[in-house]
Every structure is written in C-alpha cells, then in structure tokens.
C-alpha cells in the first residue's frame, strides 16, 4: 500500500514536470509552423520558454477590482491543469488513473474555464467582463460535449473508472457508430477546448483585447499562459488516449514514442486549422456547438443501446 | 466548413516559402532613386538659399553674419527627406543620399552647417542667377533665421533687431 | 451643358436669390446665393435633382470681401458636374441656416465650420463640439485670419470633460478606443451595449489634428503644400497630393503635360493597389485570420518596392508640384513595372479565388455592417462602401481627372451592401487597377513632365478637385491667394463622410462585428482629423465595475457611468 502511494506520487510529479517542461516546446512548434504557413521565418523554437522566463521575472503588479481574486485565478488555472495531469496517461498508465473516475476529470477541466470567469470578474473592466460572458456562453455548450465523449466511453466500458474509460473504450473493441460519431464531434470542437482560433472568442485580441487577460501582467500572466500551453498538451493526451489508443500498449520506448508522435500530429492539425480560419462570432460558435451537442447526445443514445 | 478552400489556401501559403528578410541583421540595398538624408556640399553651394525657401518643413536656416559670411544650417530634425532642396538647387550641391538609418541620441548629429564666403554683387547684394519665376515668388529678400537657437523666423513676424542685419539688404517684412 | 441646365433650373426656381454664377467649365458651377435661400437651394439640389452631398466649407474672407463665406458642395455624378453653392455672410453676424435636417450628411461639416471658423449653423440638430478639444476657449476660432498660426491658448481642460450623451436605458457603455488593437489611430467610440448587441454609439474623434490647413494658409507656399498634403494620410497620401495640385491647377487654369497626367494616373493606381491589398489583409486580421493577412502583405510588397524605385520612397511619393510631377518613368522602370503587375495579377487571382470561396470568411462578413443605398444617399457615403450597396459612383469615371478619360475600366459594384460586398468590390478593383496601369504604360508618350509657370498665380480663384482614393472620393477645395499661398484650402477625406455612416452600420449588430464593420470603411482618422494643432485629452476613462453591474442588475434603468481615476 505504501509503495503504491509512493509510486503514484512519483508518477504525478513526473507527469506534471513532463507537461510543464514540454508544453512550451509544443507551443514553440506551433508558432514555428504557423510562421511557415504565413511565409515568415518565425520565432526560435525555444521562444515560448524565453517569454515565460521574461514574464516570471517581471514585477508583480496588483491591478483590477479584486487583486486577490486575480492572483487566485492565475494559481487556480495552473493548479487545475496540474491536477488534471495526474489523471491523464502520458504514454504510461495515468498515475492516479485508479483513484478518480471520469466525472472527476470532467469537473477538473471545467474548473479551468471557471478560472477565466474569475479572472474576468477580478479585472472588472468592460472588456474583461465581455470576455467573461463569452467564456460562460462557450462553456455552457462546450463542456457537455467533452463530458458526453467521456460518458460514451464509460457506457461502453460499463464503468466510470478512468483507466477503463481511457484506452479505446469508446470503440468498444470494434468500430461502433457512437464512437466514430464522438470522434468526429471531438475533432470538430477540439480547437475550442484548447482555446485556439477559430474559437478563441473569449480572448479575441482584435475585438475585446484579450478579454479576461487584459488586466494581467508579469508572473500572473505567465501562469495563465503556461496553463494554456499545458492545456493543449493535456487535452491532446486525453484525445489520444480516448480515441487513438492503438499502439500505446507496446513495450516501453516504442509505445511511449508512438504516443508523443500522435500528440505531435494532433498539435500540427490544430496549428493548421488555426492558421487557416477566421474567428467565429460567439453566437455562431454557440449555434455550432449546439449542433454538435445534438449529435453527441444521439451518439450517447446509440451507445446505451450498444452500437 | 469549406475544406477544399482551406486546403487551397494552405497550399497557396506554403508554396510561397519564406519571404521575410533578415533586415537589421543584413542591410537591404535601396534603389538608385531612393531619398535618404540630404547631403550638403559646401564646395558647390553658392548660398542662394533656394533650399531654405523651398523646404516644406522649414528645416534649413539661413543667417548672414556679415556681408561676406553666410551660414546655411540644415537641422534634420523634422526633415521628411522630400528632396525639394535637391530639386531646386541650381548647382546640384544638395544630393539625396541613401542613408536612412539616422536614429541618434543626440539630435545635433543630424544637422549640417555650411559657412559660406559670399562675394556679393555690389549693386543689389545678390549673388546667384535669377531663379525661375515660380521660385522667384518665394524669394522675398534674404532670410535671417535665428541660427543660435536653431529656429526659423516667420517672414511676417521678422522680429530681428535692425542692428544685427546687414544694412544694405532690405528685409522683407510682409 | 449640364452646368447650364442646373443653373437654369435654379434661376427659374429661385429667381433673384441667385446673385451670381461662375461657370469656369462645363464641369464646374459656382452659384452665389442669398443667405436666406441657401437651405432651399440645397434642398432642391439634394432632393429634387438628386445631387450627392460632398462637403460644406466655411472660410474667413474678411480681409478681402469683408464677409465670411460658406460653400456647400454637391456632385452630379451622372453629369460630370461639381456644384458649389456659395454665400457671403456679414462679418458681424456669421450665421446661416443649417442644412443638416435636409441633408443629414452635412452634420459634421457644419459642426466643424462652427468650431473652426465660427460660422454658426442655426437650427443644427446636434450642435456639439466636434473638432476642438474639451478645454479650448469658446469664441476662439483657429481658422479665422486674425488668429496666428502658432496661437496656443491657455487650454486647461483638467476640470472639463467632454459632455457625452446619456446611454439609452438598459445599456452598458463599452469604450472603444482611443486605443484598441484594431484601431491604428486614436478615435473614441462610446458604444451602448445590451448584452452583446450594440444599440448605439457616440463618436469623439479629431484627436490627431496637425494644423495642416492652417499651416497651408499662413506659412507654406504653393509648392510646399503637396509635400504636406501627402502626409495627411499614410495610405492614400498620393491622392491628397494629386488632388491638391489639381485643384490649384484648375483654379489658375494650368494644364500639366500629358506625360505628367499619365504618371499621376499610374502612381494613383499603384497606391490603390497597395491600399486594397493592405485592406484585405487588415480585414482578415480583424476577423482573426492572420495567415491571409500575411499573404496579402506578401503579395503587396513588390508594389511597394516598385513605388520606391519610381519615386524614391515606398510611401509618400512626393509626386506632384503645381503643373506637373517630379519623377519620370524611364523605359527600364516601365518594363519592371509590367513584370511586377503580371506577377501580382496571377498571385492575386489565386488569393482572390481562395478568399471568395471561403465560407468561413463569408460567415463573418455577410450581413454585417449593412449600409444600404438609402443610408449611402443620406449620409453621403462614397467609395467601396457606396459601390458595395449598388450605388454606381466612381470619381475616376464620373469626374475624370489626370488621364482617366483616356483609359478604359469597369466600375465594380455589388448589391449586398455589407462587409462581404466591400471585400468583393476591393478584391476585383485590384484587377481593374492593373489594367489601368498597363494602358497608361502603353500610351505613355515622350514629353516634358512639368509645365513651367511664367507668371505669379492669380489670387481669389476657386478650384475643386475630386480624386477617387482607394476608400472613396477625396475632395479638395482651394481659394488661391496672395503671397504664394492659398487663402483657404479644405480637404474632405473619404473617411469624413464614411465615418458618419458607421453608427447606422453597427446599430443592433453584434459587438464582435463592430471592429470589422468599422474596418470595412477602411477608416483613416489622420485624414479626417487634419485641421487644428490641438491635443484632445479625456478627463476620464469609464468602466463598469462588478459592483455597479450588480447594482444595475437590480435597477436596470440606471444608465449612469462612473469615473475611474
């Protein structure tokens, strides 16, 4: 018992460190590819690390309506991602995979959105409040999508345990219609889950000036940015674990490398989609996700009937 | 989603390759007609002050210290490199260089000062050929700008002391 | 003939109220009218003869005629005619009946006339300060001749804020600007927002006045002004440069040599090319599509380089002097320009095809920022905004200048009246511009590029010039004067009219569409705010705090905003 706790803790720390260290690299790759698509040279691959270091070294300015809430929101956003990391397999079995069920993960990731709300409220400027209301609208339609994806897996696996849900349970061994539907839905809404164009609506720089983040600077901004980068990795890992599990069971170096290669491909797809799309308006996005939700619920019904 | 259109756009973008230039690291050559910082050649200048009278930014000051010595000072602070001075110069003493990276901490670095020994016409005090009619419109006698404090004195507000000017040149105060 | 017909109509209708009429050519008509009949004459022109309102000019003519002068300019686009309805007002009571209730587009121009020249438009529906800063003393009108060009009044505006209107019930105030990522220049829109829906707005701009018109009337000379004029705008500088030169040339009956006219046409079209490409890029950036923004700029860059090769500068070409141009196009440059155009045409074809088939962009632009033909008429909107609403006007064809009467081109129009329509119009105009430049290059005949000026330019003559800038018609009005400089020079940039149409474009639209709707007129605040050297400072920044939001949720009628130091 003691040993398993020990290994779980080590695993958590390892996962968190891995995500924290690799997230800026993924962001760097994303920026470099974006630059190539835009006929630019682009920043150095390690630029995201430099940015974070620079921001972390800056003066911590208290601003906005409620500075404590602002700071709390920044810490919480980072904390949520780090907590979620413990439930997500990163090429290995998730360190706390047996400790929580799918619902814990759903709530944890939802908490990430709440951080943005709190940040917007704490800043209290017109633009951050606008960003907050947009985030709220998106959350209402977006989060159920993700929940349904997990639950479809859970229905197929007949268990809410994470290690059962993750690992390809959505297809239930064969290619069930519901699993494929959920794959399509998740692909179509993945940009929004990781807050990239065309669904970076709550932060739309050219409309509402980064919205909730407009009052942030220095270390707090660094935390938010870092959390956002990590979010990309976490969601990508979740997506791979849920929908593209093949090969992860292979022996150590092969399976591990394969896992990260799949993540990389996913990040590249995200980049290309982000680089070739215009931002949607919030009402268009909500309508879009509404449609997706209908499909997702349909898939859930199919899943309960065993398709 | 119009997937086909998106793919077409992506191909279009990738086909172009990298087009940005490593500008500050490597200098970019400029075309021959490029208008950079004007350079005043004291050897060619005859001191007609046509440049000063035609400078839209009023950045060229003229001051006659005495009958024989004229100072033409180019300040270069507000200069927009329009090249009118080079256009009107009858002796081609002003050339537009290719020098455009003129950022400096000391604004005086940009100025050029010409001290010209003038041999004036005994009769009228002028020393340059009759300018074209259009330019003549503007030449209402010489300008006596405040070179010491680097300011241009507006024609209609010429508030120079009578003592500091040369007696036989009529200052036009319109 | 058109000019005589219109004059005949006015004579018959108003009889002795028409004091004098100058027909300087068949394309210009200056009618001097009794002050009491000005409004009726304008009504007849605008409503009955369906003229397009251009601009209102106030001038201080006291040193010469002892009077103030007001001119309302109208355009008959089908008849190639520009009409100026002028009247003289006594020096002791410079008041004239406002025409803004008849011609809504005159709203700003009359307020500006009040601010700068001190001519009161009696009965103006919205007589608020437009141009001058908050603390500027009342009664000091900078464009009057007895005010020195470097007059700097004691402008203490620390205690006075601009008196904004109250927002409508249930709306929050969202300040948009003076600084915003999509505004390249300062301007302030006070948006009244209900949820995500914009219910209305108030505009306070004119923050970057540089005193250009006053300088031109008091300090500069005729040939200095073109260099200053092109600095009115960073994008369409050459347009102002040419428009000014043409208005002076028209006033003094001077014709530049044909080669100069062709070169002007070529440079104006080069400017339109780079401006349209820039706009398509910026529009994409505003809707968050940065890749196409970069691609548009990539395609645009060779245009900048060839302009640099011809004129010595990427922008601010320094092209015109009175009576000609300064830069010749050599055969080598001509060949190079042709190569650039060929490459541009093929590349823009592929970009345009990609953009036009992109449903994603269409979703963000269709039905957004609608200004239909009625709004175009009422507010005097021009350029791609008007053409996208199916209003077929283009100064290049309607009031030909330079060499436009010798080249053939299509005027692109669209029917959708929205941002998408403007995008299509601009995208297609690029090909027309390429065609115009090719024709000009083919017809460029050897010869001088400047007409020598033998005599002093005569004083007291009027000159009008309308030049089709990439964003619409740029209109310059000049009264020539003594001392080698004009008495009055009035610049009406296209954004001046188009901005007045923005409130109706964004009413009841999504807040997210505000930026692209505003961007779609290609606003140029430096063009609009050119007049007086002042610095507008805002007394306060207004924001809603959560506490007030909560209060407001309880009491939805409280439309009051608080000051946040």
């Amino acid at each position: 018992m003691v040993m398993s706790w020990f290994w779980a803790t080590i695993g958590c720390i390892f996962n968190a460190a891995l995500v924290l260290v690799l997230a800026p690299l993924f962001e760097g790759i994303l920026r470099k590819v974006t630059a190539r698509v835009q006929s630019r040279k682009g920043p150095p691959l390690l630029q995201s690390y430099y940015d974070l270091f620079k921001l972390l070294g800056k003066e911590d300015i208290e601003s906005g309506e409620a500075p404590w809430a602002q700071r709390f929101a920044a810490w919480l956003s980072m904390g949520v991602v780090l907590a979620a990391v413990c439930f997500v397999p990163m090429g290995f079995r998730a360190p706390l995979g047996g400790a929580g069920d799918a619902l814990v993960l759903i709530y944890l990731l939802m908490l990430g959105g709440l951080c943005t709300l709190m940040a917007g409220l704490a800043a209290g400027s017109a633009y951050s409040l606008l960003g907050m209301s947009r985030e709220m609208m998106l959350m209402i339609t977006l989060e159920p999508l993700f929940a349904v994806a997990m639950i479809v897996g859970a229905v197929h696996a007949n268990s809410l345990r994470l290690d059962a849900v993750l690992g390809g349970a959505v297809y239930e061994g064969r290619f069930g219609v519901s699993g494929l539907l959920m794959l399509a839905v998740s692909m179509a809404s993945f940009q929004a889950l990781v807050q990239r164009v065309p669904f970076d609506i709550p932060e739309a720089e050219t409309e509402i000036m980064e919205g909730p983040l407009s009052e942030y600077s220095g270390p707090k901004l660094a935390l938010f940015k870092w959390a956002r980068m990590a979010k990309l990795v976490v969601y990508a890992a979740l997506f791979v674990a849920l929908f593209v599990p093949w090969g992860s069971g292979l022996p150590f170096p092969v399976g591990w490398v394969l896992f990260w290669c799949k993540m990389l491909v996913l990040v590249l797809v995200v980049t290309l989609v982000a680089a070739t799309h215009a931002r949607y308006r919030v009402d268009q996005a909500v309508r879009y996700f509404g449609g997706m939700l209908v499909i997702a619920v349909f898939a859930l019904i199919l899943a309960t009937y065993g398709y | 989603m119009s997937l086909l259109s998106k793919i077409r756009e992506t191909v279009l973008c990738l086909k172009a390759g990298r087009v940005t230039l490593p500008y500050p690291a490597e200098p970019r050559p400029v075309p021959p007609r490029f208008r950079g910082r004007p350079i005043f050649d004291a050897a060619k200048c005859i001191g007609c002050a046509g440049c000063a009278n035609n400078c839209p930014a009023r950045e060229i000051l003229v001051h006659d210290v005495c009958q024989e010595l004229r100072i033409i000072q180019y300040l270069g602070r507000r200069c927009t490199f329009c090249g009118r001075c080079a256009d009107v110069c009858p002796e081609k003493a002003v050339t537009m260089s290719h020098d455009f990276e003129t950022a400096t901490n000391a604004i005086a670095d940009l100025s050029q000062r010409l001290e010209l020994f003038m041999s004036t016409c005994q009769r009228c005090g002028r020393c340059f050929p009759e300018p074209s009619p259009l330019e003549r419109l503007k030449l209402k006698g010489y300008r006596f700008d405040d070179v010491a404090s680097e300011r241009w004195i507006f024609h209609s507000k010429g508030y120079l002391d009578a003592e500091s000017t040369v007696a036989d040149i009529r200052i036009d105060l319109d | 003939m058109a000019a005589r017909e219109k004059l005949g109509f006015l004579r018959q209708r108003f009889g002795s109220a028409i004091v004098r009429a100058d027909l300087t050519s068949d394309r210009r008509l200056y009618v001097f009218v009794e002050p009491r009949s000005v409004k009726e004459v304008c009504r007849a022109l605008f409503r009955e003869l369906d003229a397009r309102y251009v601009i209102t000019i106030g001038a201080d003519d006291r040193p010469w005629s002892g009077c103030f002068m007001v001119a309302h300019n109208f355009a008959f686009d089908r008849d190639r005619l520009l009409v100026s309805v002028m009247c003289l007002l006594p020096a002791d009571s410079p008041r004239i009946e406002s025409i803004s209730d008849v011609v809504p587009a005159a709203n700003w121009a009359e307020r500006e006339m009040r601010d700068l020249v001190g001519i009161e438009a009696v009965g103006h529906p919205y007589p608020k300060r437009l141009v001058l800063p908050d603390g500027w003393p009342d009664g000091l009108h900078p464009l009057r001749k007895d005010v020195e060009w470097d007059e700097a009044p004691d402008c203490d505006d620390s205690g006075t804020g601009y008196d904004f209107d109250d927002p409508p019930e249930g709306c929050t105030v969202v300040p948009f600007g003076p600084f915003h990522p999509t505004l390249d220049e300062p301007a302030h829109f006070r948006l009244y927002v209900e949820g995500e829906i914009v219910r209305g707005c108030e505009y306070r701009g004119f923050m970057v006045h540089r005193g250009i018109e006053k300088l031109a009337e008091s300090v500069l000379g005729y040939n200095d002004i073109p260099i200053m004029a092109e600095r009115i705008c960073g994008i369409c500088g050459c347009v102002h440069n040419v428009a000014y030169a043409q208005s002076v040339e028209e006033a003094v009956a001077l014709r530049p040599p044909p080669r100069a006219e062709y070169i002007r046409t070529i440079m104006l079209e080069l400017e339109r090319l780079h401006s349209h490409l820039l706009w398509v890029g910026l529009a994409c950036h505003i809707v968050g599509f940065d890749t196409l923004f970069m691609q548009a700029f990539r395609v645009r860059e060779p245009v900048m380089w060839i302009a640099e090769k011809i004129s010595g500068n990427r922008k601010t070409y320094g092209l015109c002097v009175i009576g000609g141009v300064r830069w010749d196009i050599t055969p080598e440059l001509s060949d190079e320009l042709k190569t650039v155009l060929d490459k541009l045409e093929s590349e823009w074809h592929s970009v345009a095809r990609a953009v036009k088939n992109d449903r994603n962009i269409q979703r963000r632009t269709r039905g957004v920022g609608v200004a239909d033909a009625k709004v175009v008429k009422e507010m005097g909107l021009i350029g791609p905004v008007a053409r996208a609403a199916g209003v077929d006007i283009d100064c290049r064809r309607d009031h030909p200048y330079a060499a436009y009467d010798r080249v053939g081109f299509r005027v692109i129009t669209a029917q959708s009246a929205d941002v998408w329509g403007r995008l299509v119009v601009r995208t297609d105009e690029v090909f027309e511009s390429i065609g115009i430049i090719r024709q000009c290059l083919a017809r460029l005949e050897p010869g001088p590029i400047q007409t020598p000026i033998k005599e002093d330019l005569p004083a007291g003559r009027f000159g009008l010039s309308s030049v089709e800038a990439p964003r619409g018609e740029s209109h310059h009005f000049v009264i020539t004067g003594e001392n080698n400089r004009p008495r009055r020079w009035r610049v009406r940039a296209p954004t001046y009219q188009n901005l007045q149409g923005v409130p109706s474009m964004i009413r009841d639209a999504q807040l997210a569409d505000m930026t692209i709707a505003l961007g779609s007129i290609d606003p140029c605040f430096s063009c609009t705010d050119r007049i007086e050297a002042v610095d507008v400072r805002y007394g306060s920044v207004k924001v809603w705090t959560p506490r007030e939001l909560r209060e407001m949720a309880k009491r939805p009628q409280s439309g009051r905003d608080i000051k946040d130091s």
Side-chain angles (χ1 to χ4, degrees):
Chain A
M1 195 64 198
V2 176
M3 275 310 275
S4 83
W5 270 113
F6 174 75
W7 283 115
T9 315
I10 292 288
C12 286
I13 292 172
F14 177 76
N15 255 13
L18 196 68
V19 167
L20 283 184
V21 170
L22 283 184
L25 183 70
F26 271 71
E27 185 78 12
I29 295 170
L30 194 146
R31 285 164 78 170
K32 198 84 184 168
V33 173
T34 309
R36 274 298 140 93
V37 174
Q38 296 178 347
S39 305
R40 292 186 287 125
K41 186 174 179 219
L45 210 51
L46 301 182
Q47 185 63 43
S48 302
Y49 292 98
Y50 307 150
D51 288 353
L52 287 181
F53 278 128
K54 186 176 143 195
L55 283 174
L56 284 171
K58 283 194 168 188
E59 188 190 358
D60 194 6
I61 295 170
E62 305 270 302
S63 68
E65 285 290 310
W68 64 269
Q70 216 179 14
R71 190 173 318 118
F72 183 67
W75 283 107
L76 189 63
S77 71
M78 197 58 176
V80 162
V81 174
L82 291 186
V85 157
C86 305
F87 296 94
V88 179
M90 291 284 165
F92 299 107
R93 214 163 53 79
L96 290 184
D101 55 18
L103 294 181
V104 172
L105 196 57
I106 291 170
Y107 278 121
L108 263 180
L109 292 171
M110 203 160 188
L111 211 52
L114 282 177
C115 297
T116 319
L117 296 192
M118 194 191 269
L121 205 60
S125 74
Y127 284 106
S128 59
L129 291 177
L130 267 174
M132 192 192 89
S133 80
R134 287 174 172 201
E135 174 78 31
M136 201 136 54
M137 279 194 254
L138 274 190
M139 257 174 74
I140 289 165
T141 48
L142 193 59
E143 294 297 334
L145 275 182
F146 177 67
V148 170
M150 298 285 280
I151 290 167
V152 167
V155 167
H156 284 311
N158 249 332
S159 159
L160 275 173
R161 278 172 56 96
L162 258 182
D163 44 1
V165 173
L166 301 178
V170 277
Y171 304 121
E172 208 195 354
R174 61 203 156 80
F175 287 92
V177 184
S178 57
L180 288 178
L181 271 180
M182 279 325 292
L183 174 66
V185 167
S186 303
M187 278 294 276
S189 55
F190 196 70
Q191 298 292 119
L193 290 172
V194 293
Q195 297 168 301
R196 306 288 157 159
V197 181
F199 298 114
D200 63 336
I201 302 163
E203 278 137 44
E205 186 231 339
T206 48
E207 288 163 20
I208 55 170
M209 308 195 271
E210 304 281 341
L213 296 188
S214 58
E215 290 287 329
Y216 275 83
S217 66
K220 288 192 291 256
L221 183 62
L223 279 181
F224 249 115
K225 279 193 178 293
W226 209 345
R228 210 184 105 152
M229 294 173 197
K231 221 170 167 182
L232 177 64
V233 179
V234 171
Y235 272 104
L238 256 182
F239 186 89
V240 169
L242 253 178
F243 294 108
V244 208
W246 306 288
S248 295
L250 293 173
F252 162 60
V254 185
W256 195 77
V257 169
L258 201 62
F259 182 84
W260 283 94
C261 284
K262 284 186 275 188
M263 299 255 294
L264 195 64
V265 171
L266 192 60
V267 169
L268 283 181
V269 171
V270 167
T271 310
L272 285 179
V273 173
T276 50
H277 277 80
R279 186 182 304 113
Y280 284 107
R281 262 193 336 245
V282 70
D283 58 323
Q284 291 168 339
V286 166
R287 215 172 304 134
Y288 175 76
F289 290 128
M292 289 292 157
L293 195 59
V294 171
I295 300 175
V297 171
F298 180 61
L300 185 61
I301 294 166
L302 284 181
T304 51
Y305 284 99
Y307 287 101
Chain B
M1 292 201 195
S2 43
L3 201 60
L4 199 67
S5 165
K6 290 297 171 199
I7 292 171
R8 194 184 287 150
E9 276 165 12
T10 314
V11 171
L12 185 79
C13 297
L14 289 173
K15 210 166 65 180
R18 181 166 75 82
V19 294
T20 44
L21 301 173
Y23 160 61
E26 290 169 27
R28 179 169 105 71
V30 293
R33 280 189 188 176
F34 183 80
R35 284 177 279 141
R37 192 163 70 99
I39 302 292
F40 292 74
D41 186 349
K44 288 185 186 167
C45 181
I46 56 169
C48 72
C51 50
N53 280 313
N54 281 281
C55 178
R58 304 284 187 248
E59 278 291 82
I60 304 171
L61 306 179
V62 183
H63 186 72
D64 286 358
V65 182
C66 63
Q67 178 72 18
E68 244 70 78
L69 185 62
R70 166 168 288 186
I71 294 172
I72 291 188
Q73 191 169 10
Y74 163 77
L75 299 175
R77 301 170 301 197
R78 304 189 292 260
C79 178
T80 58
F81 304 166
C82 70
R84 284 289 289 159
C85 46
D87 277 4
V88 299
C89 183
E91 298 297 312
K92 302 287 162 234
V94 189
T95 46
M96 301 307 283
S97 68
H98 288 178
D99 186 10
F100 60 94
E101 290 159 320
T102 54
T104 173
N105 287 326
I107 197 80
D109 290 353
L110 298 177
S111 76
Q112 296 171 54
R113 187 184 168 96
L114 272 57
E115 295 183 1
L116 301 165
F117 288 98
M118 308 291 289
S119 55
T120 45
C121 165
Q122 292 304 308
R123 201 179 293 165
C124 68
R126 298 196 171 205
C127 55
F128 53 94
E130 192 77 339
S132 75
L134 185 66
E135 315 313 338
R136 193 175 59 221
L137 284 169
K138 273 161 261 169
L139 294 178
K140 304 183 179 77
Y142 295 134
R143 293 252 303 273
F144 294 88
D145 290 327
D146 190 352
V147 172
S149 58
E150 295 195 340
R151 59 173 298 184
W152 166 67
I153 296 169
F154 185 47
H155 274 303
S156 61
K157 290 173 87 180
Y159 47 72
L160 280 178
D161 297 339
E163 288 81 17
S164 69
T165 60
V166 190
D168 66 339
I169 300 173
R170 190 175 57 85
I171 312 171
D172 195 301
L173 308 171
D174 44 32
Chain C
M1 284 318 287
R4 287 183 186 281
E5 271 171 32
K6 308 293 180 215
L7 182 61
F9 171 83
L10 290 178
R11 274 236 175 91
Q12 194 191 350
R13 184 74 184 279
F14 296 100
S16 62
I18 310 289
V19 181
R20 186 184 126 193
D22 296 355
L23 281 96
T24 53
S25 75
D26 197 39
R27 290 166 46 191
R28 300 286 185 269
L29 172 61
Y30 303 90
V31 200
F32 284 77
V33 182
E34 290 282 340
R36 61 188 154 73
S37 306
V38 166
K39 186 173 178 181
E40 287 313 308
V41 170
C42 290
R43 186 202 299 273
L45 286 174
F46 188 69
R47 294 291 172 199
E48 291 171 34
L49 297 182
D50 200 29
R52 178 169 60 83
Y53 173 78
V54 180
I55 192 61
T56 295
I57 300 133
D60 179 4
D61 207 40
R62 284 176 299 169
W64 300 280
S65 65
C67 297
F68 283 96
M69 198 170 79
V70 173
H72 297 292
N73 288 5
F74 291 88
F76 289 94
D77 293 313
R78 289 288 88 79
D79 302 324
R80 299 190 164 187
L81 175 66
L82 291 173
V83 179
S84 194
V85 179
M86 307 179 115
C87 77
L88 294 172
L89 303 172
D92 50 344
S93 75
R95 296 157 68 80
I96 186 168
E97 216 179 339
S98 166
I99 63 164
S100 289
D101 48 345
V102 183
V103 187
N107 187 319
W108 277 23
E110 288 193 329
R111 284 159 72 187
E112 179 179 326
M113 181 170 79
R114 201 263 317 265
D115 280 6
L116 296 183
V117 198
I119 300 174
E120 192 74 34
V122 181
H124 192 284
Y126 194 71
K128 266 186 150 180
R129 186 170 272 198
L130 179 73
V131 179
L132 294 177
D134 305 336
W136 188 272
D138 287 331
L140 181 64
H141 302 292
L143 278 185
R144 289 196 173 178
K145 292 293 176 191
D146 49 8
V147 177
E148 292 292 338
W149 66 279
D150 54 353
E151 173 87 39
D154 187 18
C155 203
D156 176 28
D157 53 4
S158 52
T160 57
Y162 186 71
D163 188 19
F164 283 111
D165 297 344
D166 288 332
E169 263 184 32
C171 289
T172 47
V173 171
V174 173
F176 182 82
F179 300 103
H180 191 276
T182 48
L183 286 176
D184 304 324
E185 296 160 82
H188 180 72
F189 284 88
R190 223 166 94 97
L191 303 176
Y192 307 136
V193 178
E194 197 181 338
E196 280 258 337
I197 308 290
V198 180
R199 292 296 180 206
C201 77
E202 185 176 357
Y203 174 74
R204 176 71 168 140
F206 294 86
M207 299 175 191
V208 283
H209 316 304
R210 290 158 291 163
I212 286 179
E213 283 175 7
K214 183 73 179 173
L215 280 179
E217 293 167 26
S218 57
V219 176
L220 299 175
Y222 276 124
N223 268 342
D224 296 339
I225 298 175
I227 305 291
M228 185 69 101
E230 74 181 354
R231 280 172 175 77
I232 288 175
C233 180
I235 304 293
C236 51
C238 188
V239 165
H240 289 292
N241 180 293
V242 173
Y244 163 77
Q246 284 180 357
S247 55
V248 173
E249 283 158 11
E250 186 191 296
V252 302
L254 184 80
R255 182 143 185 229
R259 190 177 175 85
E261 291 187 330
Y262 278 113
I263 292 175
R264 280 180 185 179
T265 311
I266 291 171
M267 294 312 283
L268 284 174
E269 289 308 315
L270 271 183
E271 190 167 72
R272 188 181 324 278
L273 281 179
H274 99 74
S275 176
H276 278 357
L277 300 188
L278 176 118
W279 181 85
V280 171
L282 284 186
C284 291
H285 173 64
I286 291 174
V287 296
F289 196 169
D290 281 345
T291 301
L292 215 48
F293 163 69
M294 296 287 176
Q295 294 306 319
F297 270 62
R298 171 178 67 78
V299 176
R300 168 181 179 259
E301 193 60 17
V303 179
M304 309 305 285
W305 287 341
I306 191 71
E308 189 181 28
K309 281 181 180 155
I310 293 171
S311 72
N313 217 338
R314 292 164 61 90
K315 274 305 308 160
T316 54
Y317 307 142
L319 182 68
C320 287
V321 286
I322 307 298
V325 295
R326 292 167 66 197
W327 320 115
D328 201 358
I329 293 183
T330 60
E332 300 82 56
L333 283 172
S334 169
D335 291 341
E336 205 172 335
L337 181 51
K338 279 177 196 153
T339 327
V340 168
L341 291 179
D342 291 343
K343 186 149 181 290
L344 175 68
E345 191 175 28
S346 71
E347 281 190 316
W348 193 244
H349 258 303
S350 51
V351 172
R353 205 176 50 182
V355 170
K356 280 188 189 167
N357 292 328
D358 195 328
R359 294 253 314 283
N360 173 230
I361 294 180
Q362 293 190 27
R363 261 198 209 138
R364 279 309 304 274
T365 52
R366 273 193 196 274
V368 169
V370 175
D372 56 15
K374 187 168 179 299
V375 177
V376 168
K377 163 81 178 162
E378 295 298 315
M379 301 314 291
L381 308 188
I382 40 191
V385 182
R387 289 197 284 275
V391 180
D392 188 11
I393 52 171
D394 188 326
C395 291
R396 294 177 290 173
R397 182 199 59 200
D398 300 334
H399 307 283
Y401 50 92
Y404 283 107
D405 49 351
R406 278 154 275 171
V407 293
F409 59 96
R410 282 188 309 137
V411 174
I412 311 284
T413 54
Q415 298 302 327
S416 58
D418 53 8
V419 177
W420 174 251
R422 286 159 218 160
L423 182 81
V424 171
V425 165
R426 287 194 169 97
T427 309
D428 287 347
E429 276 183 6
V430 167
F431 299 115
E432 296 303 314
S433 291
I434 293 174
I436 292 174
I437 299 179
R438 284 197 182 128
Q439 293 175 50
C440 287
L441 286 176
R443 292 179 195 177
L444 202 59
E445 54 208 50
I449 56 169
Q450 283 182 22
T451 303
I453 299 174
K454 303 263 174 10
E455 309 270 320
D456 285 6
L457 302 183
R461 307 242 185 119
F462 302 122
L464 293 175
S465 169
S466 277
V467 169
E468 186 73 18
R471 316 165 147 131
E473 172 204 42
S474 269
H475 184 83
H476 283 224
F477 174 88
V478 162
I479 308 176
T480 59
E482 299 76 10
N483 291 331
N484 193 36
R485 65 177 68 101
R487 276 181 205 165
R488 180 79 171 98
W489 170 45
R490 172 70 158 93
V491 181
R492 203 288 321 262
T495 307
Y496 196 83
Q497 288 308 125
N498 281 346
L499 256 187
Q500 297 182 57
V502 166
S504 68
M505 284 184 203
I506 61 174
R507 190 164 300 131
D508 299 331
Q510 291 268 335
L511 182 74
D513 289 336
M514 160 73 193
T515 46
I516 184 66
L518 179 63
S520 72
I521 68 163
D522 200 2
C524 177
F525 297 106
S526 58
C527 283
T528 313
D529 307 355
R530 77 253 145 248
I531 300 151
E532 188 53 31
V534 286
D535 178 18
V536 174
R537 199 164 65 83
Y538 274 86
S540 56
V541 177
K542 282 131 185 151
V543 291
W544 285 104
T545 63
R547 184 162 37 80
E548 281 131 28
L549 271 181
R550 279 196 300 277
E551 278 174 14
M552 210 180 59
K554 287 178 209 146
R555 294 181 290 112
Q557 74 279 9
S558 77
R560 161 189 65 86
D561 47 5
I562 60 132
K563 286 189 176 182
D564 181 23
S565 58

